[in-house]
Amino acid sequence: MVGTLQLARALTDRTCPIKLLARGGETALKLLDDRA
Amino acid sequence: MTRCLAAMPSTTRGVPVVQDCGQVGEEDHRHPRARADLTVGELHAADVDGVRRRVLPRRVQSRTVGAWTVVMAVAPCACCIGFCITIIISSYGHNTMGVDTIEGSSAREVAMRYGKDQKQATRQRIVEAAGRRFKQDGIDGAGVAAVDVDAGLTNGAFYATSRPRRISSRTSSPTSCVPNAKALTPSPGSGGTRGVRPRYLSPQHRDQCADGCPSAALLDEIARRPAATRQVFHRRTDGLIDDIASRLDPTDVGVARRTRSRSSG
């Protein structure tokens, strides 16, 4: 999540980081579910 | 000469010639005998710590002269019978200098009476301001002047309270990490960990670098800092990892023990 946030901050495009954050959130949830 | 002196205000008689108004007040205190024109009669004895000493009359002249500080340049003049005394009356502001000298002493005494709590509060303000500034501009990009402004302090107060590089490298980022960690783990259990995600990966957190996660803001810089800085960050990060791990798996005895010992220590 830290890396995703850093990448989102580094990008200048406005729409791409939002998609990136959403996808990063989904990945984090998936990791949590897999662990459970 | 006598006529000229008679024309002068009575309060200036016997007052030493002041060559530089801007230094009189300070010189009086540090080098009392350096004022060569002072007579013994202008001094009075005082008992300080059991020792009889001669002390100065504490700028009485400046105050009694009032708003006018008189600078006399005594020079021989062929046209006059004796000497021609040129009196240059300086601006009104010089008198306030004299009063400030007296009041400045008491102001310094008041400043010296600031308690430990006050110092601690000031230091905390510096640490918080420095943490925000570092996250915003980077550790190398943040200057002392900017932190001063953010903390509402003067440069002198900053240096009197802290050592800037220590703040940058050891204090700020770990300290600012703690409230963030608490804010990002609002409830126990894995539900709390899941609750972190929407806020952490939100456009608001992306845009609020100064108030956000220090790891995301400073991680690459911390990797290049000295070992002492990285050790502090390592300890704090260990705590954060254990905190998250204990929420994900409360049955993990090792993690729970480390978390307990850290919170009690």
Side-chain angles (χ1 to χ4, degrees):
Chain A
M1 288 204 298
V2 172
T4 304
L5 185 63
Q6 285 181 316
L7 187 57
R9 282 176 177 166
L11 296 175
T12 54
D13 181 62
R14 300 301 295 176
T15 55
C16 183
I18 293 175
K19 289 180 184 174
L20 187 70
L21 290 173
R23 184 62 62 88
E26 290 171 8
T27 306
L29 270 182
K30 190 169 184 300
L31 287 171
L32 284 172
D33 291 339
D34 287 350
R35 197 178 190 284
Chain B
M1 180 69 179
T2 308
R3 192 172 51 197
C4 293
L5 284 175
M8 293 169 54
S10 61
T11 52
T12 61
R13 291 183 196 172
V15 177
V17 175
V18 180
Q19 297 291 346
D20 184 352
C21 294
Q23 296 181 356
V24 171
E26 294 176 3
E27 292 299 324
D28 282 352
H29 304 298
R30 288 179 292 182
H31 307 293
R33 293 301 300 171
R35 293 180 61 177
D37 292 328
L38 271 180
T39 63
V40 176
E42 289 177 291
L43 305 175
H44 65 273
D47 194 350
V48 180
D49 298 332
V51 179
R52 299 285 292 178
R53 297 176 180 174
R54 294 278 182 187
V55 298
L56 288 168
R58 301 290 296 172
R59 304 283 305 159
V60 172
Q61 298 91 341
S62 289
R63 281 191 288 186
T64 52
V65 166
W68 309 100
T69 301
V70 180
V71 178
M72 297 186 303
V74 182
C77 178
C79 302
C80 299
I81 299 173
F83 290 95
C84 175
I85 300 178
T86 305
I87 301 175
I88 303 169
I89 302 176
S90 64
S91 64
Y92 176 80
H94 280 300
N95 181 60
T96 59
M97 182 277 299
V99 175
D100 283 347
T101 303
I102 295 168
E103 294 178 349
S105 300
S106 57
R108 278 194 296 273
E109 288 165 9
V110 170
M112 291 172 66
R113 284 199 295 269
Y114 281 151
K116 205 171 181 179
D117 293 342
Q118 173 87 17
K119 284 183 181 177
Q120 188 61 34
T122 304
R123 182 176 171 77
Q124 187 59 33
R125 272 167 52 204
I126 291 172
V127 167
E128 289 172 1
R132 284 193 300 272
R133 181 57 65 174
F134 291 146
K135 285 186 280 185
Q136 183 69 41
D137 298 339
I139 294 174
D140 290 330
V144 172
V147 175
D148 287 346
V149 172
D150 292 347
L153 297 171
T154 62
N155 205 7
F158 182 90
Y159 280 102
T161 312
S162 54
R163 295 185 180 88
R165 283 301 113 189
R166 277 199 171 179
I167 279 187
S168 71
S169 61
R170 298 183 192 179
T171 315
S172 174
S173 53
T175 307
S176 58
C177 206
V178 174
N180 282 325
K182 285 178 180 173
L184 290 170
T185 53
S187 57
S190 61
T193 309
R194 286 171 185 272
V196 169
R197 180 193 53 85
R199 281 179 293 150
Y200 194 90
L201 293 176
S202 66
Q204 290 77 24
H205 191 195
R206 177 197 62 187
D207 297 336
Q208 294 172 351
C209 198
D211 297 319
C213 173
S215 294
L218 298 172
L219 210 53
D220 49 350
E221 276 197 273
I222 288 173
R224 299 188 194 97
R225 304 306 294 182
T229 305
R230 284 185 281 121
Q231 280 171 2
V232 173
F233 189 83
H234 180 94
R235 283 199 300 271
R236 299 286 180 156
T237 306
D238 258 355
L240 187 62
I241 290 171
D242 282 352
D243 186 30
I244 293 172
S246 66
R247 289 165 193 272
L248 292 175
D249 187 4
T251 60
D252 191 330
V253 179
V255 169
R257 178 169 44 79
R258 284 199 302 273
T259 305
R260 272 200 307 272
S261 65
R262 189 174 289 112
S263 60
S264 63

